Amino acid sequence: EGRRACDVLLPVHERTGGRDGHVTLEAGPVADTATALRLARAVDRPNALVALPAGPEGLAAAADCLAEGIGVDLGPVLSPAHYGRAAGAWLDGLRRAHRAGRDLSAIRAVVSVPLAPVDAAFDEQLRLSASDAARMMRGEAALASARLVFHRHEQLLAGPDWRELAALGARPHRVRWTDTTDRAPGPPGTRYVDELVVRGAITTLGPATLEAVAERGNPRG
């Protein structure tokens, strides 16, 4: 199935010079390098990314995969500090790939940042607070955290570590907003999408949210 999906999107991948048209392959619960490499090599498509968890073992496996020239999808990343660790693994993998003589322009990566679960976790704590001000902040944590993550992303791409790799042909990884379905009561909301449309990021939309955005979305970025 992964190979067929890659083939369907391969024309998009080729038309955009490798920027779009990727398929994320689920490596399963085992986040080791051997499993990820075996999956990527079995599918053997240039637009395949291997999904790896963004914990310590997954990040180490991601760096190994990138060093071998295999793209990765890291997530879930839940905070700016967590993003920093994921970006560090990405930089490490690219440096190792360069030392191995690989074409850095062909190595792609995505960092996946969920939204609705962050609000759900924070809102439960805020609901229990005795402070009216705290309760009024419900529904704000995910967007605030996501903006800080993207700010960290922009700082990384303006820094010397990235500039050095970019000069060698590397392409920036992309931030991907996931779990964008607003869990508030009522019709599907569009606020996660409206507030986080930004150049260089990807927004994942489920069917109901996609329809809601088409009908009444107001993207502001």
Side-chain angles (χ1 to χ4, degrees):
E1 289 183 1
R3 189 179 293 124
R4 285 198 297 271
C6 287
D7 289 341
V8 168
L9 289 175
L10 192 57
V12 177
H13 186 262
E14 293 173 344
R15 187 171 65 250
T16 61
R19 175 178 170 82
D20 295 321
H22 294 96
V23 174
T24 294
L25 310 173
E26 296 293 337
V30 180
D32 62 82
T33 302
T35 300
L37 292 177
R38 188 161 54 248
L39 175 61
R41 288 165 178 164
V43 173
D44 191 26
R45 294 294 187 273
N47 55 332
L49 303 176
V50 178
L52 289 165
E57 292 182 358
L59 293 179
D64 290 343
C65 287
L66 291 163
E68 293 289 332
I70 292 168
V72 298
D73 183 342
L74 284 170
V77 166
L78 299 169
S79 71
H82 197 180
Y83 169 80
R85 294 191 291 275
W90 169 68
L91 292 170
D92 176 50
L94 289 183
R95 292 189 190 101
R96 290 163 55 191
H98 172 64
R99 290 196 295 270
R102 303 190 187 282
D103 177 10
L104 298 189
S105 69
I107 305 173
R108 302 292 175 146
V110 169
V111 174
S112 294
V113 181
L115 300 172
V118 174
D119 268 340
F122 273 85
D123 288 357
E124 178 60 23
Q125 298 301 313
L126 294 171
R127 184 182 64 82
L128 300 174
S129 173
S131 165
D132 290 339
R135 288 196 294 271
M136 289 177 63
M137 292 173 63
R138 284 182 290 180
E140 300 294 330
L143 287 172
S145 179
R147 291 186 183 108
L148 290 172
V149 165
F150 201 78
H151 178 60
R152 186 105 179 231
H153 176 65
E154 291 180 313
Q155 288 180 315
L156 172 71
L157 297 184
D161 289 338
W162 168 244
R163 288 200 299 267
E164 179 181 347
L165 288 166
L168 297 171
R171 300 290 185 266
H173 69 260
R174 300 176 75 183
V175 175
R176 179 165 73 105
W177 312 123
T178 68
D179 290 293
T180 57
T181 299
D182 191 346
R183 297 179 184 177
T190 66
R191 64 191 182 94
Y192 292 139
V193 181
D194 291 343
E195 297 290 344
L196 292 174
V197 171
V198 61
R199 186 181 300 277
I202 303 165
T203 300
T204 303
L205 299 172
T209 304
L210 176 59
E211 186 173 329
V213 170
E215 290 178 352
R216 57 184 182 278
N218 181 27
R220 294 181 289 279

